[in-house]
């Protein structure tokens, strides 16, 4: 080739070849196109009006297709513009489109599709024609054109259905009244969309069908739309179950739109079906779908469905939706609830613009129709973890209260509530930010019975959402209702005691806060009787006792809050306080070895002293008994140390300068009670630990004064017929006493100590248990001699007493066969004895 062609690129060469080929093909096809046009014009001039055949329609379609291949299609996509028809009359316009209308039923699917597209271009997208036919549109888009187009919505070919759908959409946009479209399109669409098995396979077409219904076709349906509601609702119901999420969203929007264009009485018959299907889909994973579903519920609730339908379908959905992870979902829920709580019955609607008297025709306080079942969920918004939602819910609450007051709702209660607060001298109810909640209190008071029953049921549910619903609801209700909750404490207190032991920490803490609220706003006399019943239940396990003590501690803690500052509010009947102390001091609670019971018992006693102060003096003996028990707790250093500190607080509350003086006045009676019960002690008895604690809490003078009782207890407990565990425990306790600085109390009766306590368990007996007891007896005897609790003269006298048998007993232990430690301790004891006796 020449130099120019050598320098040309491959792409340029291919482009040149394609241009030449396309030009030759176009030149070859042009005569055929012209011939087809001429033959069609001849047929048009010779044929009567409306008598076009299918073959002629095929020729026009082929000509249009060929023209499109040439790239020089006519502006009307297969025919001249209808704006150029002369004379411009309706009859001539219909004659001009007759071929395309006939092609809508052509066996060839491409012919059908092209005919629908041409009709759309010529009738709907030609601006010149549209401007000239504004007054003729209703006549043009009559049954002659609309009926075959709508039948194409069920065409086997997807592209044909799509073309027909585009035509119907465009027609609905320009018509002022879509009644003719509703008549022919809606029945076809129902057959495609509302069967048990959806016939329409295309997701895109299903979406466009619902969008068609939701658009101008619905908005311009006028009075005829009500007649086709029976056809449209099944499409919505099936669309809500559609696997394509966009179809679900459009069906929700259609549900929202329908009540705006159809009388509510016509929609009421379909509310239950729609509610059921919408709620069924509210667990959808896409949060945008859930948002549109909530808007659909909002629209249906505006129709004021029956109370039982709301309870059946809406309430279960709210139990989950109020805990949705999406902030937008929760916000929409509480926004919707604020509107639903303002819905009143027909009697209440009359009072919308005027101040009502708050009483309906039956003389009852007027309340919103759904308040009893929806108010609990609305109150959850005030405890939401998101500050924004919490703030919005508070604002909604104010608006709800204002709207209800305007309607006269709850006004029948205003006078009684205000008068009661004035007489009691209470401050207005307020939340943490000082916002007044008195209106909310009146509303909550009306529905406290339903709320407490709901909480009782949900606390025992295994799902965390239902349990947290109960906890959060009780939290806000006990805060708002203040002492109005007293009437429902018989349900509330057991519920709190059952729930505080839950494994979920947040749930348990929320219930403890509820106990704080009850203690803060309710008199102790109102709740103590219920707590006592639970404390005295003999069937309670250790964990259940701990739960009751947790609630009791929370109630007492709330009673010490600023709301109970006045002395009159802290006063409690003496008999109730004594009964409480007696229940706490019972063997089942005080003597429990359950760690949680011990910790909570200490908290209860501490809070009792903080709340009731010097009123506890009447039951100081029982409280001291409890604290001594806690001081003797084995292996719980924190409880032991805390009990010592609370004992000091108890002494001050009773007017004593220190613990020793307090113990001096209380030890005698307590020691006497312990001495009387020592014969029943066994390894599980708690009184032996109390005895240990009281011994070390008393001064030497007190011990000296009660030495006879103390030695009788020791002597009885170390006898061979007693429980070996008790014998060992008491010998160890005696050894600790002998090591203590208060051991001087034994100087008055050393012989009695040896004769009754130390020597009997040291006598030889067969068996390893007896050997262990002999070992501890020798240890205590050695400590007795080492501390010099018997003078040289007294010891010399006792050694000469053949009845005591001191040396023979020591010598027998030096020949111990079981334990070498016993022989060693015997040597230690003999050594200290010789040091005391000296060389005398």
């Amino acid at each position: 080739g020449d130099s120019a062609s050598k320098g040309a690129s491959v792409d340029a060469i291919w482009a040149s070849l394609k241009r030449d080929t396309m030009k030759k093909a176009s030149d070859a096809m042009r005569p055929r196109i012209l011939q087809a046009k001429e033959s069609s014009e001849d047929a048009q001039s010779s044929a009567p009006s409306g008598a076009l055949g299918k073959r002629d329609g095929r020729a026009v379609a082929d000509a249009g297709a060929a023209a499109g291949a040439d790239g020089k299609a006519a502006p009307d996509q297969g025919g001249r513009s209808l704006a150029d028809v002369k004379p411009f009359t309706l009859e001539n316009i219909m004659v001009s489109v007759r071929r395309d209308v006939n092609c809508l039923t052509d066996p060839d699917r491409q012919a059908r599709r092209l005919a629908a597209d041409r009709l759309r271009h010529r009738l709907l997208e030609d601006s010149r024609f549209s401007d000239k036919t504004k007054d003729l549109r209703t006549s043009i888009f009559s049954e002659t054109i609309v009926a075959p187009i709508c039948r194409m919505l069920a065409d086997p070919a997807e592209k044909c259905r799509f073309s027909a759908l585009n035509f119907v959409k465009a027609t609905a946009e320009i018509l002022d009244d879509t009644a003719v479209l509703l008549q022919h399109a809606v029945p076809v669409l129902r057959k495609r969309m509302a069967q048990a098995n959806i016939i329409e396979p295309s997701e895109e077409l299903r979406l466009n069908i619902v969008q068609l219904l939701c658009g101008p076709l619905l908005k311009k349906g006028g009075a005829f739309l009500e007649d086709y509601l029976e056809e449209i609702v099944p499409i919505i119901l099936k669309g809500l179950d559609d696997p394509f999420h966009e179809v679900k969203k459009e069906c929700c929007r259609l549900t929202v739109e329908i009540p705006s264009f159809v009388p509510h009485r016509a929609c009421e018959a379909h509310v239950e079906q729609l509610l059921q299907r919408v709620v069924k889909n509210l667990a959808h994973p896409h949060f945008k779908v859930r948002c549109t579903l909530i808007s659909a519920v909002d629209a249906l609730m505006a129709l004021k469905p029956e109370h039982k339908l709301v309870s059946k379908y809406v309430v279960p959905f709210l139990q989950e939706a109020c805990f949705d992870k999406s902030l937008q979902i929760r916000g929409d829920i509480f926004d919707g609830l604020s509107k639903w709580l303002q819905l009143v019955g027909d009697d209440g609607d009359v009072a919308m613009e005027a101040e009502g008297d708050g009483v309906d025709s039956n003389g009852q306080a007027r309340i919103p129709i759904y308040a009893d079942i929806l108010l609990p969920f609305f109150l959850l918004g005030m405890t939401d973890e998101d500050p924004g939602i919490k703030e919005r819910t508070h604002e909604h609450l104010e608006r709800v209260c204002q709207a209800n007051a305007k309607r006269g709702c709850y006004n029948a209660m205003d006078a009684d509530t205000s008068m009661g607060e004035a007489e009691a001298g209470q401050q207005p109810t307020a939340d943490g930010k000082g916002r007044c909640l008195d209106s909310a209190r009146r509303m909550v008071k009306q529905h406290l019975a339903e709320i407490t029953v709901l909480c009782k049921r949900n606390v025992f549910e295994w799902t965390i959402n239902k349990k947290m619903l109960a906890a959060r609801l009780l939290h806000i209700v006990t805060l708002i209702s203040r002492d109005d909750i007293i009437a429902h404490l018989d349900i509330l207190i057991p519920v709190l005691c059952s729930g505080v032991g839950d494994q979920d920490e947040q749930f348990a803490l929320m219930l403890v806060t509820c106990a704080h609220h009850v203690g803060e706003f309710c008199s102790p006399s109102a709740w103590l009787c219920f707590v006592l019943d639970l404390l005295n239940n003999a069937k309670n396990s250790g964990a259940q006792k701990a739960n009751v003590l947790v609630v009791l501690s929370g109630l007492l803690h709330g009673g010490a809050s600023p709301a109970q500052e006045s002395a009159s509010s802290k006063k409690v009947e003496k008999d109730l306080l004594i009964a409480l102390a007696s229940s706490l001091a019972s063997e089942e609670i005080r003597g429990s070895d359950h760690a949680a019971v011990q910790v909570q018992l200490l908290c209860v006693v501490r809070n009792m002293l903080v709340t009731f102060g010097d009123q506890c003096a009447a039951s100081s003996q029982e409280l001291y008994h409890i604290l001594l028990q806690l001081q003797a707790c084995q292996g719980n250093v924190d409880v032991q140390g805390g009990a010592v500190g609370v004992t000091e607080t108890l002494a001050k509350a009773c007017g004593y300068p220190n613990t020793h003086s307090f113990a001096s006045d209380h030890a005698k009676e307590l020691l006497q009670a312990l001495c009387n019960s020592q014969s029943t002690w066994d390894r599980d008895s708690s009184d032996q630990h109390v005895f240990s604690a009281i011994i070390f809490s008393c001064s030497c003078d007190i011990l000296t004064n009660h030495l006879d009782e103390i030695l009788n207890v020791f002597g009885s407990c170390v006898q061979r017929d007693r429980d070996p565990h008790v014998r060992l425990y008491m010998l160890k306790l005696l050894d600790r006493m002998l090591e203590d600085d208060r051991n001087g109390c034994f100087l008055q009766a050393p012989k009695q100590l040896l004769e009754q306590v130390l020597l009997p368990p040291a006598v030889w007996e067969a068996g390893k248990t007896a050997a262990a007891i002999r070992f501890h007896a020798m240890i205590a005897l050695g400590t007795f001699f080492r501390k010099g609790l018997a003078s040289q003269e007294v010891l010399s006298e006792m050694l000469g007493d053949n009845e005591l048998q001191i040396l023979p007993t020591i010598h027998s232990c030096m020949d111990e066969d079981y334990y070498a430690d016993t022989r060693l301790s015997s040597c230690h004891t003999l050594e200290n004895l010789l040091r005391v006796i000296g060389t005398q």
Side-chain angles (χ1 to χ4, degrees):
D2 55 7
S3 57
S5 61
K6 289 181 180 179
S9 64
V10 175
D11 294 336
I13 294 172
W14 274 112
S16 176
L17 291 174
K18 288 181 179 180
R19 283 197 301 272
D20 294 340
T21 302
M22 293 299 293
K23 182 177 181 182
K24 293 177 181 178
S26 177
D27 292 342
M29 291 295 295
R30 187 171 290 110
R32 295 177 60 187
I33 297 171
L34 294 175
Q35 184 180 0
K37 288 184 177 181
E38 290 173 359
S39 61
S40 65
E41 290 174 358
D42 292 341
Q44 180 179 358
S45 62
S46 60
S49 175
L52 281 176
K54 294 182 179 179
R55 183 175 298 174
D56 298 324
R58 291 280 302 276
V60 174
D62 293 340
D70 188 28
K72 299 179 180 179
D76 60 350
Q77 297 294 324
R80 60 179 178 172
S81 174
L82 294 176
D84 297 331
V85 173
K86 293 182 181 179
F88 192 77
T89 63
L90 176 63
E91 181 179 0
N92 289 336
I93 292 172
M94 299 306 294
V95 169
S96 299
V97 299
R98 177 62 61 183
R99 286 193 185 93
D100 292 334
V101 173
N102 290 341
C103 286
L104 294 176
T105 58
D106 193 281
D108 183 58
R109 60 183 179 183
Q110 184 176 6
R112 297 196 300 271
R113 178 180 63 82
L114 292 174
D117 289 342
R118 280 195 303 273
L119 284 174
R120 177 165 50 85
H121 289 310
R122 299 180 73 186
L123 294 175
L124 299 169
E125 297 180 358
D126 188 343
S127 59
R128 291 172 54 214
F129 176 75
S130 298
D131 293 340
K132 296 177 68 174
T133 58
K134 289 182 179 180
D135 298 333
L136 298 175
R137 288 175 181 171
T138 304
S139 301
I140 293 172
F141 297 99
S142 62
E143 186 174 349
T144 303
I145 294 178
V146 171
I149 280 288
C150 289
R151 285 195 293 270
M152 275 188 68
L153 293 172
D155 196 279
E158 180 179 335
K159 291 186 177 180
C160 293
R161 298 197 302 274
F162 192 78
S163 296
L165 192 61
N166 286 337
F167 184 94
V168 175
K169 275 187 177 181
T171 305
E173 289 176 358
I174 67 169
L175 290 180
D176 295 330
D177 188 349
T178 58
V180 66
L181 291 175
L182 288 171
Q183 178 184 356
H184 294 282
V186 172
V188 177
L189 296 179
R190 180 183 180 181
K191 291 180 180 178
R192 301 288 298 177
M193 293 282 292
Q195 300 298 322
N197 295 322
I198 297 178
I199 299 176
E200 180 55 63
S202 170
E203 288 184 343
E204 185 177 359
L205 274 174
R206 296 200 301 271
L207 175 61
N208 279 272
I209 287 172
V210 181
Q211 289 175 339
L212 169 65
L213 293 173
C214 195
L217 185 64
L218 176 71
K219 297 177 181 178
K220 299 179 182 180
F224 294 97
L225 184 60
E226 182 179 350
D227 299 333
Y228 295 97
L229 197 58
E230 292 287 344
E231 307 280 349
I232 296 175
V233 170
I235 297 175
I236 298 175
L237 296 176
K238 204 64 182 178
L240 288 170
D241 289 337
D242 197 287
F244 187 30
H245 64 276
E246 291 294 337
V247 175
K248 291 179 184 288
K249 291 165 63 175
E250 289 300 324
C251 286
C252 291
R253 295 189 182 100
L254 182 55
T255 304
V256 174
E257 292 289 340
I258 284 179
S260 304
F261 304 102
V262 179
H264 286 191
R265 57 175 174 77
C267 298
E268 290 174 357
H270 307 284
V271 169
E272 181 174 6
Q273 291 178 302
L274 291 169
L275 266 180
Q276 181 183 12
R277 202 60 59 89
V278 169
V279 170
K280 177 183 174 182
N281 288 275
L282 278 165
H284 197 278
H286 293 183
F287 89 94
K288 290 185 178 179
V289 175
R290 299 200 299 275
C291 286
T292 55
L293 288 166
I294 291 171
S295 65
V297 175
D298 191 20
L300 294 172
M301 288 294 295
L303 299 175
K304 298 181 182 179
E306 294 182 17
H307 190 279
K308 63 179 181 181
L309 297 183
V310 178
S311 179
K312 182 177 180 180
Y313 298 113
V314 178
V315 169
F317 127 73
L318 290 174
Q319 290 178 342
E320 300 298 328
C322 289
F323 297 91
D324 197 285
K325 294 181 180 179
S326 170
L327 296 180
Q328 182 176 348
I329 295 293
R330 299 205 304 272
D332 291 347
I333 287 293
F334 297 122
D335 292 345
L337 282 167
S338 67
K339 292 183 287 185
W340 306 341
L341 282 174
Q342 298 179 43
L343 296 173
V344 294
D346 296 334
D347 294 338
D349 292 336
V350 179
M352 285 284 291
E353 302 299 332
E355 191 71 26
D357 58 1
V359 179
D360 61 13
S361 58
N362 297 324
Q364 301 293 325
R366 182 184 295 125
I367 60 175
I369 51 181
Y370 305 123
D372 58 329
I373 54 176
L374 297 185
L375 179 61
F377 299 100
F378 179 66
L379 294 176
L380 290 180
M382 302 174 69
T383 62
D384 195 90
E385 59 185 12
D386 181 68
I389 293 178
K390 190 183 298 185
E391 183 67 26
R392 281 167 57 188
T393 307
H394 276 287
E395 295 173 357
H396 287 321
L397 179 63
E398 294 177 3
R399 285 194 288 269
V400 168
C401 293
Q402 292 172 2
N404 288 336
K406 191 175 183 180
R407 293 175 172 89
C409 300
Y410 304 106
N411 285 353
M413 303 167 59
D414 289 358
D416 295 339
T417 303
S418 302
M419 185 180 301
E421 290 179 358
E423 291 175 357
Q426 294 181 359
Q427 296 297 322
T429 307
D431 64 358
K433 295 186 177 181
R435 288 173 289 210
C436 184
L437 299 177
D438 286 331
S439 298
R441 180 182 177 185
R442 289 191 291 271
M443 184 165 56
V444 169
K445 181 180 180 180
Q446 181 72 22
H447 305 290
L448 268 178
E450 295 91 345
I451 292 174
T452 51
V453 171
L454 173 65
C455 293
K456 179 182 179 180
R457 182 172 64 249
N458 285 351
V459 159
F460 300 103
E461 290 285 347
W462 64 273
T463 56
I464 187 61
N465 280 357
K466 290 185 177 181
K467 289 164 59 175
M468 284 305 300
L469 182 151
R472 288 170 54 182
L473 185 56
L474 284 175
H475 177 272
I476 190 63
V477 165
T478 51
L479 176 63
I480 292 177
S481 61
R482 300 174 69 95
D483 59 352
D484 294 335
I485 199 71
I486 289 178
H488 307 279
L489 289 180
D490 57 332
I491 297 176
L492 180 59
I493 297 297
V495 165
L496 295 179
C497 293
S498 300
V500 292
D502 194 86
Q503 294 180 351
D504 188 276
E505 182 178 358
Q506 184 182 5
F507 172 75
L509 288 176
M510 193 79 72
L511 294 183
V512 172
T513 307
C514 297
H516 293 170
H517 292 164
V518 174
E520 180 178 359
F521 300 119
C522 302
S523 169
S525 301
W527 49 259
L528 262 177
C529 54
F530 300 110
V531 176
L532 286 173
D533 291 341
L534 296 170
L535 276 177
N536 296 326
N537 188 350
K539 297 181 180 180
N540 283 343
S541 64
Q544 290 173 322
K545 294 174 185 175
N547 293 345
V548 177
L549 291 174
V550 168
V551 174
L552 175 57
S553 180
L555 292 168
L556 292 168
H557 177 80
S561 64
Q564 295 279 6
E565 280 182 354
S566 64
S568 60
S569 63
K570 285 189 177 183
K571 289 292 183 183
V572 63
E573 296 178 13
K574 183 177 180 180
D575 294 342
L576 279 176
L577 195 56
I578 293 176
L580 175 60
S582 299
S583 297
L584 295 174
S586 64
E587 180 70 19
E588 292 77 11
I589 297 177
R590 173 185 54 80
S592 175
D593 57 354
H594 197 285
V597 173
Q598 295 170 351
V599 173
Q600 296 305 322
L601 186 58
L602 178 62
C603 294
V604 166
V605 176
R606 180 188 290 116
N607 289 336
M608 282 183 65
L609 294 173
V610 173
T611 303
F612 301 124
D614 56 2
Q615 296 180 72
C616 296
S619 54
S620 59
Q621 190 71 40
E622 291 80 3
L623 297 178
Y624 185 49
H625 196 174
I626 296 170
L627 293 172
L628 289 174
Q629 179 76 62
L630 296 176
Q631 291 179 33
C633 284
Q634 302 298 310
N636 198 333
V637 179
D638 293 336
V639 171
Q640 291 176 342
V644 172
V646 176
T647 304
E648 295 177 359
T649 305
L650 176 61
K652 292 180 181 179
C654 295
Y656 291 91
N658 52 58
T659 306
H660 293 301
S661 58
F662 174 80
S664 299
D665 288 349
H666 291 76
K668 181 177 181 179
E669 184 177 348
L670 191 54
L671 274 174
Q672 186 65 41
L674 292 173
C675 292
N676 294 335
S677 65
Q678 56 85 20
S679 60
T680 62
W681 292 358
D682 55 23
R683 63 178 300 176
D684 298 323
S685 297
S686 59
D687 283 344
Q688 58 185 326
H689 305 300
V690 177
F691 181 76
S692 171
I694 197 172
I695 289 296
F696 289 100
S697 65
C698 295
S699 63
C700 183
D701 295 338
I702 298 174
L703 293 177
T704 302
N705 295 334
H706 301 285
L707 185 60
D708 290 340
E709 292 90 344
I710 294 172
L711 290 178
N712 288 335
V713 172
F714 277 110
S716 175
C717 290
V718 298
Q719 297 301 314
R720 69 173 61 183
D721 59 339
R722 297 299 296 273
D723 188 323
H725 295 89
V726 175
R727 298 176 71 188
L728 286 172
Y729 180 84
M730 298 305 289
L731 287 172
K732 293 177 183 178
L733 174 61
L734 180 58
D735 184 64
R736 288 172 54 202
M737 284 190 67
L738 295 174
E739 293 280 5
D740 194 78
D741 294 338
R742 285 165 288 192
N743 57 15
C745 63
F746 295 111
L747 290 173
Q748 294 183 355
K751 182 178 180 180
Q752 186 179 357
L753 176 61
L754 289 174
E755 184 178 13
Q756 294 182 9
V757 183
L758 292 176
L759 293 178
V763 175
W764 189 90
E765 292 180 46
K768 290 186 177 181
T769 302
I773 294 174
R774 285 197 300 275
F775 168 72
H776 286 286
M778 278 293 105
I779 292 294
L781 187 59
T783 305
F784 174 81
F785 291 130
R786 179 166 52 84
K787 289 294 183 177
L789 297 178
S791 63
Q792 187 180 42
E793 294 77 8
V794 173
L795 180 57
S796 177
E797 181 181 348
M798 288 189 294
L799 288 175
D801 190 343
N802 293 328
E803 293 182 359
L804 288 179
Q805 296 290 308
I806 296 177
L807 291 177
T809 302
I810 297 174
H811 290 161
S812 67
C813 291
M814 294 177 70
D815 295 332
E816 177 67 46
D817 295 332
Y818 286 100
Y819 301 113
D821 289 342
T822 303
R823 298 194 295 271
L824 183 61
S825 61
S826 301
C827 295
H828 168 73
T829 301
L830 184 59
E831 178 187 4
N832 286 292
L833 184 151
L834 294 174
R835 287 180 177 176
V836 174
I837 198 65
T839 57
Q840 186 177 357

